[in-house]
Amino acid sequence: MVKSELLQALSAKLPELQARDVETALNCLLKQMADALAQGERIEIRGFGSFDLRRRLAKLGRNPKTGGAVNLAATVVVHFKPGKEMRDRVNAAREKCGIME
């Protein structure tokens, strides 16, 4: 779901709020989450999942076009781990999405 669809869904569930108020609240929530991750904090949303940081060490990689060696710097990436309720819900809907294994 893209941000505009999320805003429409929230506005439909909360008709007493104006669309700009819903957008402000959503933007504030996302900014707070990004700020917490930038400070190295872990975020857990019960029933949805958790966000934390993973450190990737520097390594030697390959340029796929030329095959030449490339030094890749150490980096920090955001990692999402879905909660049990989210995993169960997604797995139950796999056939609707056309995902087969």
Side-chain angles (χ1 to χ4, degrees):
M1 181 180 291
V2 294
K3 187 176 175 183
S4 62
E5 291 172 343
L6 181 59
L7 288 172
Q8 289 174 354
L10 285 171
S11 292
K13 287 191 177 206
L14 302 166
E16 65 276 6
L17 297 178
Q18 292 190 9
R20 72 174 185 265
D21 295 333
V22 172
E23 183 174 12
T24 300
L26 180 62
N27 287 337
C28 181
L29 174 68
L30 295 174
K31 182 184 180 313
Q32 291 297 319
M33 290 175 68
D35 290 347
L37 287 168
Q39 294 174 10
E41 297 178 29
R42 181 176 187 270
I43 300 171
E44 183 176 335
I45 303 170
R46 301 276 179 184
F48 183 74
S50 61
F51 298 87
D52 60 358
L53 300 176
R54 298 276 170 98
R55 283 144 185 81
R56 291 192 180 160
L57 300 175
K59 63 181 182 179
L60 186 63
R62 295 267 172 219
N63 180 331
K65 190 171 184 178
T66 64
V70 178
N71 287 323
L72 300 174
T75 186
V76 176
V77 295
V78 176
H79 177 261
F80 174 72
K81 180 179 179 186
K84 183 180 182 324
E85 291 176 37
M86 174 67 78
R87 277 193 317 267
D88 293 345
R89 187 172 178 183
V90 169
N91 284 331
R94 289 176 64 162
E95 290 181 13
K96 286 184 200 176
C97 300
I99 299 172
M100 300 293 189
E101 272 190 78

